[in-house]
Amino acid sequence: MSEKKSKGQALYDELAYEKKNYFEVASKSERKKMFAYAEGYKAFLDDAKTEREACAAAVKMAEENGFTEYRFGDALAAGDKKYFVNRGKSVVVFRVGSKDLEKHGMRIIASHIDAPRIDVKQNPLYEEAGMCFLKTHYYGGIKKYQWTAIPLALHGVVVLKDGTKVELRVGEDPKDPVFYIDDLLPHLGQEQMAGNAGKIIEGEQLNVVVGGMPYPDEEVGKKIKLTVLHYLNEKYGMCEEDFLSAELSAVPAYPARDVGFDRALIGAYGHDDRVCAYPALTAVLNGETEHTVLAMLVDKEEIGSEGTTGMQCKIYEDLMEEICIAMGASFRKVRFASKCLSSDVTAAYDPNFASVYERMNSAMLSCGTCMSKFTGARGKSGSNDANAEFVGEVRKMFEKEGVVWQTAELGKVDIGGGGTVAKYLANLNIDTVDLGVPVISMHAPWELISKADLYSNYMAFLAFMK
Ligand code: MN
Ligand code: MN
């Protein structure tokens, strides 16, 4: 190779755009920071496998950083550090800035803390053929066959007849038992394997094994069921009827782990969307800013952002309005001046399934957090297609702070697509664009991300808040 670039090559380098691998361009100390940041993230993942647990973990971290609880009607002043909990399942962590709200608006980062999983039905318990099972109804878009023959943990709450709420978390401690959804052995699987992958395991076959020991009493018909009921009664004070008012979820029982000899990647359950929620939270907890900044960690994104804890609920709008009232600002003016990053994951280009991606406009692993100007499917349908002007503004913020980032859409034009919470914020007249971490095997029980992209996402949020 010659020492000096040719004139044409120099011109090409100046004019052409190419993505950069963040690991490659990061300094040694920056790479060290990426790895250190990933440790905190992994601990958060292991702590927070459901939206309730993620909400509680976020509150704990906020309190450790001097944030206090806010309720509608509380007085607010510049410098206040607050969190607002919605029904224990979503939380908004915010700081009131010194900048004029009507002029500068709010800087909002919206992400979600629910993840695909296997929810227990309301009348779930039965015994058959030496086993006791819980019937389930899966939550979010999953490939059902991926959830069989892996260790599962049960998380959730049971509201007992007298109204007491009992928390349940079994299968995370190495000493705990785990739970299991069975699959057919290959020896008898000929017919199953010839079928459509969406049907090789059907929804009604996702039954979770929770017991196998008969209760020692000849008189009893359902002996194993009684053993399980007896255990649940001794341990949690519940009887079978209490499942009616329970919210129990089976999630993968494995912890987050480094992947690869070089430990560049992280495998874990629920990267979607905690890989955005954690950076949003830590940016608002630690970032330097004079703006009023909000990290919204919401629920129910995986099933359409509905309900009282999903992004479509008025409560988030009400909170913003309450902040405006407390600060003596017009909500209408503040919304118009506000900016939002809707932070959800995107699909990383997967060379083993290259045919569904358009390489030039796919997110490449380790090339930084990924902006999607639009999401949606087949003709941008259902998408918040951000204005070029706003994209330009965010691009400038990132440029100024040296954020390594990329842009992409999800898959080939005619193949798939997806949407997230961006449009609900945009509907409030808030400029919004999607930004999030590329994920391999999204919605699988164990997903894969790059430490570089996780850290880039955090850096991007810090830059956006400044
Ligand atoms: Mn998501
Ligand atoms: Mn998702």
Side-chain angles (χ1 to χ4, degrees):
M1 253 170 69
S2 66
E3 296 263 306
K4 215 173 150 234
K5 281 181 196 167
S6 70
K7 203 175 148 202
Q9 188 60 49
L11 187 64
Y12 185 87
D13 289 349
E14 190 194 327
L15 298 182
Y17 167 72
E18 242 167 278
K19 290 184 184 184
K20 296 183 199 108
N21 183 303
Y22 189 16
F23 282 130
E24 226 173 303
V25 296
S27 66
K28 209 173 158 190
S29 75
E30 203 170 10
R31 229 179 299 167
K32 223 171 158 182
K33 281 186 203 157
M34 286 176 189
F35 275 68
Y37 187 77
E39 291 307 307
Y41 172 57
K42 284 187 289 176
F44 178 80
L45 282 176
D46 293 344
D47 212 26
K49 288 201 172 175
T50 63
E51 69 280 354
R52 284 180 193 274
E53 291 174 0
C55 179
V59 166
K60 190 166 164 258
M61 286 168 67
E63 284 179 345
E64 282 164 6
N65 282 275
F67 286 63
T68 55
E69 185 164 16
Y70 168 83
R71 287 170 207 267
F72 283 171
D74 286 356
L76 289 172
D80 278 355
K81 304 200 277 185
K82 296 282 172 187
Y83 64 83
F84 175 76
V85 176
N86 175 17
R87 298 170 169 87
K89 297 175 99 178
S90 77
V91 58
V92 180
V93 179
F94 65 98
R95 278 160 63 178
V96 183
S98 54
K99 288 208 178 192
D100 182 72
L101 253 184
E102 287 184 1
K103 197 164 160 217
H104 296 276
M106 299 174 179
R107 298 279 164 104
I108 303 158
I109 308 165
S111 62
H112 68 92
I113 48 178
D114 60 318
R117 63 186 185 225
I118 311 288
D119 280 351
V120 173
K121 286 192 187 187
Q122 298 325 123
N123 185 22
L125 195 67
Y126 70 100
E127 158 181 350
E128 185 122 36
M131 292 173 275
C132 194
F133 297 93
L134 291 175
K135 296 203 70 59
T136 69
H137 193 141
Y138 63 94
Y139 175 97
I142 61 166
K143 287 176 162 179
K144 295 187 276 284
Y145 66 84
Q146 292 182 329
W147 295 71
T148 64
I150 60 170
L152 296 169
L154 274 177
H155 292 235
V157 298
V158 183
V159 178
L160 305 178
K161 202 179 235 164
D162 67 359
T164 322
K165 188 165 78 180
V166 193
E167 277 179 46
L168 197 143
R169 183 181 162 102
V170 186
E172 297 299 341
D173 189 294
K175 281 184 239 142
D176 282 354
V178 293
F179 307 95
Y180 189 76
I181 297 173
D182 61 289
D183 194 359
L184 191 57
L185 63 166
H187 316 64
L188 297 177
Q190 237 173 315
E191 219 174 273
Q192 181 200 31
M193 295 301 281
N196 173 320
K199 300 219 159 190
I200 62 173
I201 296 288
E202 307 242 25
E204 294 298 348
Q205 289 175 312
L206 291 174
N207 301 312
V208 182
V209 178
V210 294
M213 184 70 74
Y215 189 88
D217 186 332
E218 275 315 306
E219 307 262 307
V220 178
K222 304 287 180 195
K223 294 188 180 67
I224 304 177
K225 179 173 167 179
L226 181 58
T227 300
V228 171
L229 279 174
H230 186 224
Y231 178 84
L232 291 175
N233 185 258
E234 298 254 280
K235 178 96 188 181
Y236 304 104
M238 67 181 284
C239 55
E240 188 174 15
E241 201 184 341
D242 293 322
F243 279 113
L244 299 179
S245 48
E247 232 170 36
L248 298 173
S249 305
V251 297
Y254 2 79
R257 300 282 297 268
D258 286 347
V259 172
F261 291 116
D262 52 16
R263 298 178 176 267
L265 313 172
I266 303 172
Y269 164 66
H271 282 311
D272 176 8
D273 185 36
R274 287 141 204 177
V275 73
C276 299
Y278 180 78
L281 173 65
T282 49
V284 169
L285 295 185
N286 309 322
E288 271 172 54
T289 184
E290 285 164 17
H291 286 287
T292 294
V293 291
L294 291 80
M296 292 185 170
L297 278 50
V298 303
D299 180 30
K300 295 220 164 43
E301 193 278 340
E302 297 296 353
I303 56 168
S305 299
E306 311 280 350
T308 50
T309 52
M311 193 70 237
Q312 293 196 67
C313 179
K314 289 269 184 236
I315 195 164
Y316 307 103
E317 192 182 329
D318 288 346
L319 172 65
M320 287 186 259
E321 188 168 3
E322 286 289 330
I323 295 172
C324 291
I325 293 168
M327 296 303 290
S330 144
F331 184 36
R332 252 187 251 179
K333 287 180 187 162
V334 172
R335 279 190 289 165
F336 202 11
S338 292
K339 304 175 205 307
C340 174
L341 294 179
S342 163
S343 193
D344 203 348
V345 298
T346 188
Y349 176 83
D350 186 336
N352 295 314
F353 299 93
S355 67
V356 297
Y357 295 92
E358 186 269 284
R359 211 175 188 287
M360 279 174 65
N361 288 284
S362 289
M364 291 293 161
L365 209 66
S366 302
C367 288
T369 187
C370 181
M371 184 187 289
S372 298
K373 182 177 177 295
F374 53 86
T375 56
R378 296 171 198 86
K380 299 189 177 183
S381 180
S383 157
N384 153 62
D385 193 351
N387 297 330
E389 290 86 345
F390 182 57
V391 172
E393 212 182 317
V394 175
R395 184 180 155 201
K396 223 169 122 188
M397 294 177 191
F398 291 171
E399 184 73 38
K400 199 174 154 209
E401 300 297 322
V403 177
V404 175
W405 64 286
Q406 58 181 322
T407 174
E409 54 184 289
L410 199 150
K412 274 186 180 166
V413 174
D414 286 333
I415 288 200
T420 179
V421 300
K423 57 183 170 186
Y424 309 122
L425 288 139
N427 286 346
L428 295 176
N429 191 24
I430 296 173
D431 274 318
T432 304
V433 69
D434 281 285
L435 185 92
V437 169
V439 176
I440 293 275
S441 311
M442 194 198 297
H443 285 200
W446 226 52
E447 304 168 318
L448 193 67
I449 61 114
S450 160
K451 287 181 183 176
D453 298 333
L454 165 71
Y455 193 67
S456 152
N457 206 32
Y458 178 54
M459 289 291 110
F461 293 160
L462 292 178
F464 174 71
M465 279 170 36
K466 268 206 175 163

